[in-house]
């Protein structure tokens, strides 16, 4: 319920306080019973601050922000981006060009495509409490191959894998 009890300091409100504020509150409460009361408070873990990773990652959900993290570390905690097989090749199922980071209800200017495909670490921003990372699915498209070819018909392609060449 956000309260802590210790010795004579019963039901001290802890939720919403910093460690120093909580220590001062305990010192004040215990000071009623002990001369020069001094408490030491060491948090075991922080679980109240969370960030969210959804979409085409291997482990979706809410994660505790228990230490400073960046976007790359957040994706690593989600066990990476999902992959699948397409024409006997492993491809990422997340569309990085449409992926985004939402902070305080607003879309952040972070280019996840540059970060993950080009290694641009200037896009590897710190994660803050309440951040929402979303990796939408790539939608496989189809090309209709007609004419004098060996196998006319529908051929699937991933947008990044399309390579056309013209011959005269």
């Amino acid at each position: 319920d956000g309260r802590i009890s210790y010795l004579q300091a019963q039901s001290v409100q802890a939720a919403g306080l910093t460690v120093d504020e909580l220590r001062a509150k305990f010192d004040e409460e215990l000071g009623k019973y002990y001369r020069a009361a001094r408490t030491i408070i060491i948090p075991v873990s922080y679980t109240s601050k969370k960030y969210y990773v959804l979409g085409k990652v291997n482990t979706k959900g809410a994660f505790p922000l228990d230490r400073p993290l960046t976007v790359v570390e957040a994706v690593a905690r989600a066990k990476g981006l999902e992959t699948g097989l397409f024409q006997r090749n492993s491809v990422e199922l997340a569309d990085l060009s449409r992926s985004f980071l939402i902070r305080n209800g607003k879309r952040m200017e972070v280019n996840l495509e540059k970060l993950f495909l080009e290694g641009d670490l200037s896009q590897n921003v710190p994660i803050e409490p309440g951040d929402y990372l979303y990796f939408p699915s790539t939608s496989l498209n189809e090309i209709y191959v007609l004419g004098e070819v060996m196998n006319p018909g529908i051929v699937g392609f991933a947008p990044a894998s399309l390579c056309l060449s013209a011959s005269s």
Side-chain angles (χ1 to χ4, degrees):
D1 67 350
R3 298 183 169 279
I4 299 176
S5 295
Y6 177 74
L7 298 175
Q8 288 86 359
Q10 296 295 310
S11 196
V12 174
Q13 181 68 35
L17 299 179
T18 67
V19 172
D20 290 332
E21 291 169 339
L22 182 59
R23 182 181 304 119
K25 252 192 170 181
F26 264 100
D27 287 348
E28 180 184 325
E29 287 295 314
L30 293 173
K32 296 174 185 175
Y33 304 96
Y34 301 96
R35 194 176 332 163
R38 302 299 262 162
T39 55
I40 298 172
I41 297 178
I42 301 171
V44 175
S45 68
Y46 297 91
T47 58
S48 62
K49 296 177 182 176
K50 297 189 182 308
Y51 66 93
Y52 307 89
V53 184
L54 297 172
K56 289 298 181 180
V57 291
N58 289 306
T59 305
K60 301 156 190 53
F63 296 86
L65 188 56
D66 53 0
R67 64 180 182 83
L69 288 177
T70 62
V71 170
V72 169
E73 292 169 309
V75 171
R77 274 195 176 178
K79 300 195 180 357
L81 301 172
E82 286 185 19
T83 58
L85 286 178
F86 178 71
Q87 295 179 347
R88 289 186 260 158
N89 292 316
S90 179
V91 295
E92 285 184 350
L93 299 178
D95 185 349
L96 294 172
S97 66
R98 295 185 306 131
S99 299
F100 56 86
L101 170 65
I102 298 290
R103 180 171 293 157
N104 299 321
K106 296 180 184 165
R107 193 174 179 137
M108 292 283 299
E109 292 297 322
V110 178
N111 188 329
L112 297 170
E113 192 172 29
K114 272 188 168 183
L115 174 61
F116 289 103
L117 297 180
E118 298 173 21
D120 182 354
L121 293 179
S122 69
Q123 303 299 312
N124 194 21
V125 299
I127 296 293
E128 292 184 7
D131 278 1
Y132 173 82
L133 268 169
Y134 183 69
F135 296 91
S137 174
T138 56
S139 56
L140 294 178
N141 297 308
E142 297 175 333
I143 297 176
Y144 295 88
V145 179
L146 303 172
E148 295 182 35
V149 293
M150 295 277 293
N151 296 312
I154 300 171
V155 177
F157 79 95
S161 69
L162 180 61
C163 180
L164 298 175
S165 62
S167 59
S168 47

